[in-house]
Amino acid sequence: MDNTDDILVEFIIEAREILDQLDLDFVLLEKTPDDKKLVGNIFRAIHTLKGSSGFFAFKRLEKVTHAGETLLGKIRDGSLALDKQKTSLLLVTLDAVREIVAAIEATHAEPEGDNAQLIEDLLNLANGVALAEREPSETSAATPPPPAAPVQEAATPVLEATSPALATPVAEAASSPPPAALPPIQTSMQPSTQPPTAAAAKSASPAPTAAAQELGVESAQEVAQPVKVNLDLLDKLMNLVSEMVLARNRLLPFAADFGDHHFSGAVRTIDLLTQELQERMMMTRMQPISQIWSKFPRLIRDVSNECGKQVNLVQDGEDTELDRTLLDAIRDPLVHIIRNCIDHGIETPEQRAHLGKPATGQVLLKASHENGMVVIQIADDGGGIDFDLVCQKAIEKKLLTAEHALTLTDIQLLEYIFLPGFSTKSVVTNLSGRGVGMDVVKTNIAKIGGSIEIDSPRGLGTNICLKIPLTLAVMPALFVRCENERYAIPQNSIVEMVRLDLANDSSGLEDFYGLPVFRLRNKLAPLLLLNHQLNLSQKFPGKDAVINIALLQSGGIQFGLLVDEVLNMQEVVVKPLGPLFSGSTDFAGATILGNGSVALILDVAGMANNSGLVAKIQARPLNPVQIAAEVTVEQIPMLLFELPGLEFTAIPLECVDRLESFTVEKIQKNGKREVVQYGSGLMHLLRLNEYIDGASPTPVQSQEPLSVIAHYVNGLPMGLVVGKVHDIIQVPQIMQETNSQQRGLKGCVILNGRVINVIDVQEILRMRRIQDNEIMVYPDNEQSEVAVIDWKMVQ
Amino acid sequence: MNNAGDYLTFSLGKFSFGIIATEVLELNKNLSVTHVPKSPETVRGIANLRGQLVPAIDMYKRLGLDNTTGQQETIAIILKSKGMVVALLVDSVGEIISLEDATFEPPPPNFPAMSRELVFGVHKLTSRLLLMLDHTKIIQGINGSKK
C-alpha cells in the first residue's frame, strides 16, 4: 500500500463518519429548523468533504458537495428556511455522496457519470426560492448601498464570524441586514459561495488541523479523541493473547512441579499479567450500541415518510457495550424489527386520532446489561400484532386447522410469525410482505446465541425483547465424536441428548420417504447421520445398536444427529475457517482446544439445509399441525412458592433477583407502606396475597419470618412477600390463560397434575402504582390511607 | 516474473522444487492437521499456527503427483500466497539457494497440465533439475468445497 492509498483510506473513513453524523444532524435539523449551530455544523461537514474531494481531484464528488453546500449556505445565513423538500433533497445528496464514496472505496477511483439532475435541483432550490424572496430585498438593498466590488471582503468576515460564535452574527443576518449581504450574490451564484469556501479550503487542505480546530470550538470531544486501530490488527492481537493464555497454561504445571521459588514467582507474575492482558484485550472488542443506532433516526424518518406515518424515536442506553462482531450481527435484525414496528405496528395519524392516541407514534429502543446478556428492547405504541390475521393466514397456509386455531392463545399464535414464508401482508411492498422477515430475525439472533421474545397485548403495541450474549468470542459447545474426529455443536441449537437402544426399542429406526426417522416420546423426529453427512463413512447403525443422538433445532425444525460418542461441554472460541473452505456449509468455524489441536464447529442450520432435510420436512410434515406448535414449547424456569390460600403459585425466575428472609421486627412503616432496611436503602414490601384473586388475607399477628422475593423495578428493590418458597420448576411457556381474567394472575400451567398459578408481576406492580397515585382502596384492604408515597418520587 | 533470486528448495518424492524464499514465513515440523470433511481434495485440512487457522495444502495432490514414498510428509512450509497464509505439506526442505537467469528454462511441454499451471519453469542445476513454483498460483483453483 503506497502513501496516497493510505491517505485515501483515511479520507474514506473520514467521509463515512461525516456522512453518518450528517444523517443524524439532518433528521434533528428537520425537527429544530432554527438551530443555527446545527446548520453551521452541517455546512462545515459538507465543506470538509468538498475540500478533501478537491484534494483528491474527485470532480464529481466535489460538484455534488459544492451544490449541497450552496443550498446549505443559504439556509445557514438565513436567506432560506429549511423545509421538508429541502431536507429530503439534502438527504438524497448525502446518499449520492455515500454512493460515490463507496465506489471510490471499491475501485480507488471516482465512478463514472455525474449527478447533473441532483445538482440542478439543489441549485434551483437555492436559487429559485431565493430569487422569490429576494424580490423585495432588492429595493431595500438599494437604500443601504453595499460595497458591490469587494465581494471577497464581505464574504470572508461572515465565515470568520461564524466559527467562534455562530448564533449572534447569523441571528443578526436573519433579522435585518441580510439584504446587505445578498445583492452581490444575486448577480451570480458562484462567487457568493466560492470565496468563503476557497478561503476555508486554503486553510483546510494544507493543514487539516485548522478545520478540526474550527469544529473543536463547540465540541470538547477532541480532548479524548480515540485512536483508530485497524480491525485486523486488533484481531491479530486478540489471537496472540489467546495463544499467550494457552502458553501460560502449559507453563503453570511446570511451576508446580519444579518447586523453585524464583521460578514459580516469575510464573505467577506472568500468570497475572496474562490474565489482565486478556481482560483488557476483550474490552477493546466492546463497542457502544450507538454505533448502529445512530443510523436509525434516518431510517425511521424514511420509512415513516414512505408509510405516511408520524413516528418519534426514543433511545435509551445507547452506551451499552457489546462485542463488535455482535453489533454487525444484530444490525439487520434490528432494522427489520423497526421497519415492522412502523409498517405493521404504528397506525396512521388518522387511525391513531380515532383511537385516542397521540398522532405521533413512539418507537422505543432500549439497551441494557442484564445477567451477562445485553437486552435490547424495541417497543412501539401501535396496534400490536394482529392475531386474528395471523390465525387466518396460518389456516390459509395449512399450518393450522380451523378447529385447532380456536384453541390457541395469542402467545401460541405468536410463534407462527417466526415461521419461514409467513407474512400477514397480502401485498408485497418494498418494506415488507415477502415473508422472509421474522424467521430470518430469529435465525440470525439464534446464530449468535441470542433469543427473542415478543409481548404484544392486542391493540397496545408490540414489545420485542432481544437477549444477546455480551461477546461472541466465547460460546458454550458440546463436543461429540464421529469416526476419529471431534466436532463441536453450538449449545444454543441443542435441545436434548438421547440414547436409544435399538434392540429394546420396538420401533427402532424407520424410513419415512427415504428419510430415517426415530420415535421420541411418540413423536417422529428425522435423523441425520453425521458420518454420512460429512462423507466420513457409510456405516449405518445395526438393528441392535445403542445409538447417541443429539436432538438439534434449527429454523423451526427439530432433528436428531447421530454421533458416535458424546464427549464434554466446553466454552470455545470461534474462528472462521477461511476462504478455502468457503464452500463448506456444514461448518460454522473451528476452535482451538486447550492442547492446541483444532476442532470443527458444526453449522446446524447449514447441515439441515444441506442434507435436504428441511425441504423434505416442508414437503411432508412428519407430525402435521403439531410440528409448529411443538417446537414452540419452550420451557421457562419459574420459582414455586406458596401464598396464604393459594398453595402452588409461581413467578418467572427472571423477575426474581434475590430471595430474602426478614423477621417481623425488621418491618417498619412508612405511612401505610411496609418497608424494611435493605442494603443502604429501603425496600418497599408488597404483600402478594393482597393483589391476587383467590389468596386469603394476611393472617394477623403472625410471628413467622417473612419470605421475600426481591425484584428490582427501575433499579429500586421491591420486596414481594410470599408464604413458603419451594423450588425452581421448569414450566412450558405456553400457558393456559385463565378464562375470565383473574386479578394478578397471568394464567396457569399444569405440571405433574397440579395446577400452578403464574402471577403477573407487571400487573401487580401496575395495581400498586395505581394505588399510590390515585389512593385507590381495594375492598379487602382495611387500612386507612394516611401517607401516600408518590411513585414517581420514589423512582 | 523475474527468474533469479533466492529460492527455498524442497522435495516431494524424487522431485525437487523451488519456491521464492521471501514469501516463506517459517518452516514447521509436526504441524498437526485436522481434516475438514467435504473440503477440496487438495486441502488436507486445517492447522493451528499459534492461534491462527491456516489451511494445509497437500502438495502431492496439488501438483497431481502420486505419493509413492508411502510416508507422511514431515514438514510444512508456511508461506504467504496472495495475502493468505497457507501451509504446504512437503517431504523435506533443503537449503535456500540463489539462482541466476542463466540456468532457467521454461517448463517442458510434456509436463502434466495440473503442474504446468503452478510450475513456471525449471532451473538446471549441476546435480538436479529444480522445478520452480509460482507461489501466487497455489491457492488459485482451490475454491470452495466439492459437494
Side-chain angles (χ1 to χ4, degrees), chain A residues 243 533 575 580 586 596 598, chain B residues 34 37-38 48 50-51 142 145:
Chain A
E243 280 307 297
Q533 176 64 24
K575 296 184 178 221
L580 284 194
D586 290 306
V598 180
Chain B
T34 302
K38 290 176 156 182
N48 168 22
R50 290 186 301 284
I142 317 177
S145 71

Side-chain angles (χ1 to χ4, degrees), chain A residues 44 76 157-166 169 214-215 217-218:
Chain A
R44 267 196 303 276
R76 187 179 65 157
V158 175
L159 181 80
E160 276 170 13
T162 43
S163 33
L166 263 167
E214 202 181 326
L215 277 169
V217 174
E218 65 267 10

Side-chain angles (χ1 to χ4, degrees), chain A residues 311-329:
Chain A
V311 182
N312 187 21
L313 176 72
V314 183
Q315 297 186 359
D316 187 17
E318 50 268 76
D319 304 333
T320 311
E321 288 191 326
L322 70 165
D323 197 293
R324 62 173 169 74
T325 43
L326 287 170
L327 276 181
D328 287 341

Side-chain angles (χ1 to χ4, degrees), chain B residues 7-51:
Chain B
Y7 285 84
L8 174 74
T9 62
F10 65 90
S11 68
L12 285 168
K14 55 187 191 328
F15 296 99
S16 289
F17 293 92
I19 196 156
I20 186 127
T22 46
E23 295 300 313
V24 174
L25 302 175
E26 63 180 87
L27 303 173
N28 203 317
K29 275 198 168 192
N30 308 321
L31 191 73
S32 93
V33 176
T34 302
H35 173 61
V36 179
K38 290 176 156 182
S39 59
E41 201 193 14
T42 44
V43 183
R44 177 74 58 81
I46 200 148
N48 168 22
L49 185 75
R50 290 186 301 284

Side-chain angles (χ1 to χ4, degrees), chain A residues 492-698:
Chain A
N492 55 27
S493 48
I494 299 178
V495 182
E496 61 180 311
M497 308 300 299
V498 183
R499 193 175 166 86
L500 217 57
D501 189 345
L502 294 182
N504 292 338
D505 195 75
S506 53
S507 51
L509 296 182
E510 293 162 70
D511 189 79
F512 182 85
Y513 295 100
L515 186 72
V517 293
F518 66 104
R519 256 168 222 280
L520 180 66
R521 292 187 280 277
N522 292 325
K523 290 260 171 63
L524 285 176
L527 187 67
L528 211 60
L529 284 78
L530 188 57
N531 55 342
H532 288 200
Q533 176 64 24
L534 300 181
N535 295 342
L536 294 173
S537 68
Q538 289 305 314
K539 273 189 254 167
F540 197 85
K543 284 260 174 284
D544 50 358
V546 179
I547 55 173
N548 291 306
I549 297 172
L551 193 64
L552 307 178
Q553 175 161 344
S554 153
I557 287 180
Q558 279 196 1
F559 65 97
L561 185 71
L562 178 72
V563 299
D564 290 344
E565 196 184 348
V566 176
L567 304 165
N568 55 323
M569 204 87 183
Q570 198 184 316
E571 307 248 289
V572 298
V573 178
V574 186
K575 296 184 178 221
L577 281 179
L580 284 194
F581 303 99
S582 58
S584 135
T585 45
D586 290 306
F587 304 108
T591 186
I592 295 169
L593 303 175
N595 61 8
S597 65
V598 180
L600 294 162
I601 301 167
L602 299 177
D603 181 341
V604 174
M607 272 196 321
N609 280 322
N610 244 359
S611 60
L613 191 102
V614 174
K616 278 183 197 165
I617 297 284
Q618 275 168 353
R620 296 177 205 278
L622 276 179
N623 306 300
V625 179
Q626 286 103 319
I627 213 161
E630 192 207 4
V631 167
T632 65
V633 183
E634 271 174 54
Q635 302 268 315
I636 51 171
M638 293 207 179
L639 183 77
L640 187 67
F641 59 89
E642 269 178 34
L643 279 182
L646 275 180
E647 204 178 338
F648 298 107
T649 319
I651 175 171
L653 201 59
E654 57 182 19
C655 298
V656 180
D657 290 295
R658 284 180 90 99
L659 290 179
E660 300 285 352
S661 179
F662 296 108
T663 53
V664 182
E665 296 84 58
K666 280 205 176 150
I667 301 171
Q668 297 173 43
K669 287 264 174 175
N670 172 319
K672 70 166 184 173
R673 293 275 174 241
E674 290 177 307
V675 294
V676 287
Q677 203 172 348
Y678 192 62
S680 55
L682 280 183
M683 174 158 75
H684 285 251
L685 295 182
L686 183 154
R687 290 193 181 258
L688 272 186
N689 52 323
E690 290 168 8
Y691 292 86
I692 292 174
D693 275 350
S696 1
T698 317

Side-chain angles (χ1 to χ4, degrees), chain A residues 379-402:
Chain A
D380 67 63
D381 63 348
I385 291 168
D386 189 340
F387 289 104
D388 298 330
L389 197 57
V390 171
C391 189
Q392 188 194 327
K393 288 280 169 183
I395 295 169
E396 270 174 35
K397 286 189 191 285
K398 306 240 175 351
L399 295 164
L400 193 66
T401 59

Side-chain angles (χ1 to χ4, degrees), chain A residues 1-14 55-56 58 104-109 230:
Chain A
M1 193 178 271
D2 62 34
N3 231 357
T4 47
D5 271 0
D6 273 346
I7 304 173
L8 188 61
V9 167
E10 246 163 61
F11 163 69
I12 290 163
I13 294 174
E14 188 190 17
F55 176 74
F56 284 100
F58 292 139
I104 290 175
E105 189 184 14
T107 61
H108 282 203
N230 193 321

